[in-house]
Amino acid sequence: MKHVIALDVGGTGMKAALLAQDGSVLLEARRPTGREHGTDAVVATILDFAAELADEGRTRLGSAPVAAGVAVPGTIDEKNGIAVFSANLGWRDLPLRKLLGERLGGLPVALGHDVRSGGLAEGRIGAGRGVDRFLFVALGTGIAGAIGIGGRIEAGAHGYGGEIGHVVVRPGGPLCGCGARGCLETLASASAVSRAWAEACGDPDADAAACAAAVEAGDPRAAEVWQVAVDALADGIVLAQSLLDPSTVIVGGGLAEAGDTLFTPLRTAVSERLTFQMPPVVVPAMLRDTAASLGAGLLAWDLLSTEVTA
Ligand SMILES: [Zn+2]
């Protein structure tokens, strides 16, 4: 069956799939990124993994893959296929598209940004299926986002589009890793909630999931910590609503695992803040940790459809 290689390179693990044109997964595989072995070893692992997936496709699906897509973290030059910088994986100006293309015998390769690829998959085959304009927000260690317009992701002029985590919602607030104060991710990321709850409950190991559980159990201190995050998040979403007017806001990442404990107060907080804006539908992401890999596969398919129509 006709398929592409889809690969998501994360800080600790790589997720891969062979993907049919309708987005269905024909084969899945995972392996550690092994960044403790250094950047060169990580790159070698990516190339080896992709080559093995191509072999698997030939053996199990009866044909070679027709393209490959790879999603990586950090700063990306999608147009030129260069992984510009990743603090996590240590590379600078890595020509990953060229390296993969050479290793895969000249196969067309798409290079994508992990969060934007995840957003693309959520918008096309996940929680936003059939939605033309959406905002994807991932609440993890930080907060990242992606702007979906007409079946594609708007990356901006310099590849920084959708960075809702660095919208300032509390001027003069907590210091952010980016150097500014009061960025959304200092208040509403899973890490921010973990930190705030650990301080409030006195257990240094308490995390965001424990905070959500305490909210559900009726702990007023947890409710207070939670509301700080929900309010900040609602402020960020309403700002995006005013600028972009998406019909759907898809919320994923670790904090979204709290389900209704997050979504019920979040929807209320968003609707309380709207004045003239049309309310977005706020929904949980569906594809969890496979979103970026699936998105990389969709980018690979897009590459072929562009080639055909170009
Ligand atoms: Zn920031």
Side-chain angles (χ1 to χ4, degrees), residues 33 162-163:
T33 306
E163 288 286 2

Side-chain angles (χ1 to χ4, degrees), residues 163 165-168 174-186:
E163 288 286 2
H166 299 286
V167 160
V168 174
L175 185 63
C176 180
C178 78
R181 285 192 175 273
C183 291
L184 178 58
E185 75 172 36
T186 66

Side-chain angles (χ1 to χ4, degrees), residues 27 41 50 128 141 148-149 154 171 234 260 264 297 309:
L27 186 145
T141 311
I149 299 172
E154 173 54 52
D260 287 345
T264 303
T309 52

Side-chain angles (χ1 to χ4, degrees), residues 86-178:
S86 165
N88 222 347
L89 297 171
W91 56 51
R92 265 182 200 279
D93 297 323
L94 177 73
L96 194 52
R97 185 173 73 195
K98 182 167 162 275
L99 293 172
L100 267 168
E102 283 168 4
R103 182 64 182 268
L104 297 170
L107 212 63
V109 175
L111 178 71
H113 178 259
D114 56 356
V115 175
R116 289 198 290 272
S117 300
L120 179 71
E122 285 291 350
R124 257 197 233 169
I125 58 175
R129 197 174 193 136
V131 171
D132 186 47
R133 285 167 191 270
F134 66 89
L135 176 72
F136 172 61
V137 184
L139 310 172
T141 311
I143 295 183
I147 300 162
I149 299 172
R152 51 174 283 276
I153 300 294
E154 173 54 52
H158 312 95
Y160 294 113
E163 288 286 2
I164 191 171
H166 299 286
V167 160
V168 174
V169 292
R170 299 290 176 268
L175 185 63
C176 180
C178 78

